[in-house]
C-alpha cells in the first residue's frame, strides 16, 4: 500500500488509513468503498464484519450497528432493523434475538429497529394485537371493509380491557 505522486522520491509513502494501493509503481492511493475500511499502508480494503457497517468511502474503521438493528453479512453500508418478533438490545449484533414467551415486538419497516420486546397484557390474545396492526398499518381494511369493522370491535375491546 504505497504510492508516489511526484518524481524524485527516495521512498514511496504509505497510503493513509481508508485508502489502498495494490499496484506496484502506483502514483495514487484509492479510497475504500462503502462497506469496507483499511489501515495505513493497505494493499486491499477489508469488508466490515458482521454486526458492523460503513456508509462512507475512504474510512479507517466500521461502526457497530445501533441497538434495534443488525448486520447479518460482511460489507454492509447500513444495518437492518430487527423484524417483528425479534430484538437487538446491544450494539454490534449480527442477528436479532427472538422475543420470549409472553412478549412481542412489531416492526413497521426495515428502517425502524426494535431494541426490546413488550410484555403481552393479561387477557388479550397476542393474535388480536397482530391482527389489529396488520389491518391498520397495512391498509388491509381498505380492501376488506367487513374486516375493518371487526378490527374496530377488537380495538374497542382491547382498549376497554386496558
Amino acid at each position: 500500500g504505497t504510492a508516489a505522486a511526484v518524481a524524485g522520491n527516495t521512498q514511496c509513502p504509505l497510503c493513509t488509513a481508508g485508502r489502498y494501493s495494490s499496484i506496484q509503481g502506483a502514483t495514487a492511493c484509492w479510497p475504500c468503498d462503502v462497506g469496507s475500511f483499511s489501515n495505513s499502508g493497505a494493499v486491499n480494503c477489508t469488508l466490515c464484519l458482521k454486526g458492523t457497517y460503513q456508509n462512507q468511502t475512504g474510512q479507517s474503521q466500521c461502526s457497530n450497528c445501533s441497538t434495534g438493528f443488525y448486520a447479518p453479512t460482511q460489507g454492509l453500508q447500513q444495518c437492518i432493523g430487527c423484524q417483528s418478533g425479534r430484538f437487538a438490545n446491544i450494539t454490534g449484533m449480527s442477528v436479532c434475538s427472538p422475543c420470549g414467551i409472553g412478549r412481542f415486538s412489531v416492526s413497521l419497516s426495515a428502517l425502524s429497529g426494535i431494541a426490546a420486546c413488550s410484555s403481552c397484557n393479561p387477557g388479550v390474545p397476542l393474535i388480536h394485537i397482530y391482527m389489529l396492526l396488520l389491518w391498520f398499518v397495512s391498509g388491509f381494511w381498505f380492501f376488506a371493509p367487513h374486516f375493518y369493522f371487526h378490527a374496530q370491535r377488537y380495538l374497542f375491546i382491547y382498549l376497554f380491557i386496558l
Side-chain angles (χ1 to χ4, degrees):
T2 62
V6 295
N9 285 341
T10 58
Q11 64 181 13
C12 295
L14 293 176
C15 294
T16 59
R19 302 177 78 77
Y20 74 99
S21 175
S22 58
I23 301 172
Q24 186 172 359
T27 58
C29 298
W30 297 276
C32 293
D33 290 332
V34 295
S36 66
F37 72 99
S38 74
N39 296 318
S40 64
V43 176
N44 295 309
C45 295
T46 304
L47 292 177
C48 294
L49 298 175
K50 293 179 180 181
T52 66
Y53 74 100
Q54 183 49 259
N55 59 7
Q56 298 177 353
T57 60
Q59 298 301 305
S60 61
Q61 63 185 12
C62 297
S63 301
N64 282 337
C65 294
S66 302
T67 57
F69 295 85
Y70 72 108
T73 60
Q74 294 181 340
L76 292 183
Q77 67 181 19
Q78 72 179 26
C79 297
I80 303 165
C82 292
Q83 54 275 56
S84 296
R86 304 183 81 73
F87 72 102
N89 61 347
I90 59 174
T91 61
M93 297 288 288
S94 60
V95 296
C96 295
S97 302
C99 293
I101 296 172
R103 303 183 66 75
F104 74 100
S105 68
V106 178
S107 176
L108 301 179
S109 77
L111 300 177
S112 63
I114 302 172
C117 297
S118 301
S119 294
C120 297
N121 291 327
V124 180
L126 184 59
I127 190 66
H128 290 198
I129 295 169
Y130 279 121
M131 286 188 322
L132 287 172
L133 288 170
L134 173 67
W135 284 322
F136 287 108
V137 174
S138 71
F140 185 69
W141 60 270
F142 179 79
F143 298 106
H146 59 283
F147 287 126
Y148 181 61
F149 171 77
H150 294 294
Q152 284 180 321
R153 183 175 63 190
Y154 285 127
L155 180 61
F156 175 77
I157 293 169
Y158 177 71
L159 294 175
F160 183 77
I161 291 171
L162 292 179

